[in-house]
């Protein structure tokens, strides 16, 4: 995932977390599809470590936002966030947690992810 390296300091610790996910995700929409597939695989594997998955998937989502929407890593009081636009702080880990919860409730986690990406795009403007 060379593109993660190219993000440099804009991605902060998100890039390392994304690499720990162990997926060779591309950037852009292909990366979103890879993240959705990773969510589905995680939900199908009862033995998965949720904390490790949450960190890696949240890191990947953050990197996709940094790369695609011109965001950057920010260490906030609440933890690591992605700065989008002039004032919006985005929590990629909360999005992944919500998507996991949706999947465990029998809903489609991709719907949660899509809605969150729509909000992020609006925040970046």
């Amino acid at each position: 995932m060379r593109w993660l390296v190219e993000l440099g300091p804009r991605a902060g610790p998100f890039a390392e977390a994304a690499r720990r996910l162990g997926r060779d995700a591309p950037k852009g929409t292909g990366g979103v599809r890879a993240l959705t597939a990773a969510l589905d695989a995680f939900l199908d594997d009862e033995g998965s470590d949720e904390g490790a998955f949450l960190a890696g998937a949240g890191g990947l989502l953050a990197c996709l936002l940094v790369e695609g929407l011109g965001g950057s890593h920010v260490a906030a009081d609440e933890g690591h966030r992605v700065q989008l636009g002039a004032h919006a702080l985005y929590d990629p880990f909360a999005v992944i947690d919500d998507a996991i919860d949706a999947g465990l409730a029998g809903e489609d986690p991709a719907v949660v992810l899509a809605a969150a990406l729509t909000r992020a795009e609006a925040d970046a403007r």
Side-chain angles (χ1 to χ4, degrees), residues 7-84:
L7 290 176
R10 286 182 34 220
F14 293 136
E16 180 58 34
R19 281 192 286 277
R20 278 188 252 133
L21 187 59
R23 307 243 183 229
D24 193 17
K27 59 185 174 180
T29 57
V32 174
R33 282 192 296 274
L35 180 56
T36 302
L39 272 164
D40 289 339
F42 169 78
L43 290 166
D44 288 341
D45 184 1
E46 293 180 18
S48 293
D49 178 348
E50 185 171 348
F53 178 78
L54 183 63
L60 178 55
L61 177 57
C63 288
L64 290 167
L65 294 171
V66 167
E67 191 278 328
L69 299 178
S72 61
H73 168 263
V74 174
D77 290 340
E78 305 83 27
H80 298 278
R81 301 290 186 263
V82 176
Q83 175 83 42
L84 294 173

